[in-house]
Amino acid sequence: VMALLVVATRARTLGLVGLPGVVKRGVSSKAPAKNELGHPFKLNHEYRAERVLSNFGYCSRAETTKFLRTNHVSIEEKKKHSNEVVSTKVSTPNQRGRLPEFRINGSPIEYKPITIVINKPQGYLCSTARDGPTGTKIVYDLLPPEWVRRSPLLSIAGRLDKYASGCLILSQHGNLVNNIISPSRKISFPKVYTVNLKWPVTEEQIRKFSSGQVILKDETEPCKPCSVELIDPSTNLIRITLREGKYHQIRRMSAAVGNLALTVKRESIGHITIDELEPGTWRHLTQKEIEAFFDSKESYNLQKEINAHRDERLPVHLRNKKPDEEESLDQLLQEAEKRFKEGSGELDA
């Protein structure tokens, strides 16, 4: 009997059996409840200062005493029968308090799970580690320093390479991140990019992009079909919508069809855009935006609102063309080729 219990316990730990009350790893797609913290803490329980400070990234447990000496940490507690607030300075790692009561240098700690969108500038790595030479910049440099040390980790849902820019989502909700990046999920969240190509784009290249037959170097499976829109022939600017995420996919797809991606900017992931966000700035996602990552219908409705105003983000001369002013793709390509020939005649022109 003991042997069977040991085997069953081990199997349950590894997620090999679906015992009652057990959720297999990576399978749950449950949306976080409005008051769910997403970590082992509870609002009405008291916790030691060292545990709170370390779990929320302010310092390690070993550094707690030093942190308390160099920062003003307090517990602000309301009296039971009045609205009077009593503030008690935390002087030892073992002092206890509830999460909403802790203050660091006068500011409350951010104890709720974080989900943000950031407009990543060029030159930043999507990594928690500074690989390479000293001075390498990472996206976490743009955030409060304690966030990179939070537990659970503030994870990136769909990375961008160092020289790409645009929409990044970071979250402590593991299921939300999995819903965005996992190819096995039934819900698909399109990723929209604007790309400057080196050479004029041809109809044949657009057809290849959209065909679902592009096979990247060192891979055997073709990429999923994507939609491609020519925005500005004079700068070889196109908009690509992907429904998957492979390593350096935009750059590798461009090379596979015979062109070269000079700049890559992600405009949106699903219903989340970087509108009104300057490069290097971020904002918290609303509860509605978070829940839409678990509801395909709601996400689709929000995406329709985004698409209705997408052209407003284009340069003025490319917006709101009337039907009788629109030019055919052939005419646009002919003009682009003519300007190209009138230049130096070199591919780098």
Side-chain angles (χ1 to χ4, degrees), residues 175-304:
N175 287 337
L176 185 149
V177 174
N178 286 337
N179 274 5
I180 294 174
I181 67 176
S182 176
S184 62
R185 295 295 184 186
K186 293 181 179 179
I187 304 176
S188 176
F189 300 101
K191 301 174 182 68
V192 181
Y193 301 80
T194 50
V195 184
N196 282 102
L197 297 173
K198 185 172 184 178
W199 302 299
V201 62
T202 65
E203 285 186 310
E204 176 63 15
Q205 289 175 349
I206 291 178
R207 187 194 65 76
K208 287 181 179 178
F209 270 119
S210 309
S211 67
Q213 298 176 354
V214 176
I215 299 178
L216 304 180
K217 185 179 179 182
D218 300 326
E219 294 194 14
T220 56
E221 294 294 324
C223 297
K224 292 181 180 179
C226 62
S227 62
V228 181
E229 175 187 359
L230 179 62
I231 299 176
D232 186 3
S234 65
T235 59
N236 307 323
L237 182 66
I238 63 174
R239 178 183 287 135
I240 300 179
T241 303
L242 300 180
R243 291 189 174 272
E244 61 183 342
K246 296 186 177 183
Y247 179 73
H248 289 180
Q249 184 169 351
I250 295 290
R251 300 189 190 279
R252 295 167 71 198
M253 286 186 75
S254 300
V257 302
N259 216 312
L260 180 66
L262 299 180
T263 64
V264 177
K265 180 180 181 180
R266 186 191 283 158
E267 289 188 347
S268 62
I269 299 176
H271 51 278
I272 303 299
T273 73
I274 50 173
D275 292 353
E276 302 177 0
L277 281 179
E278 295 295 325
T281 62
W282 53 271
R283 69 170 179 86
H284 288 276
L285 267 61
T286 65
Q287 186 66 28
K288 181 179 180 181
E289 290 172 331
I290 291 173
E291 291 174 351
F293 278 112
F294 301 86
D295 184 339
S296 56
K297 183 177 180 180
E298 180 62 26
S299 179
Y300 176 74
N301 291 335
L302 293 174
Q303 288 174 42
K304 284 201 301 184

Side-chain angles (χ1 to χ4, degrees), residues 110 114-119 139 142-144 147 168 170 276-285:
E110 185 128 25
I114 297 169
T115 299
I116 63 170
V117 56
I118 184 170
N119 186 353
V139 292
L142 304 169
L143 305 174
W147 284 12
L168 272 184
L170 291 84
E276 302 177 0
L277 281 179
E278 295 295 325
T281 62
W282 53 271
R283 69 170 179 86
H284 288 276
L285 267 61

Side-chain angles (χ1 to χ4, degrees), residues 42-62:
K42 297 180 181 179
L43 288 179
N44 294 323
H45 282 57
E46 291 189 347
Y47 299 96
R48 296 193 309 276
E50 64 175 3
R51 184 178 177 189
V52 172
L53 295 175
S54 62
N55 271 68
F56 292 97
Y58 292 97
C59 61
S60 67
R61 294 202 181 195

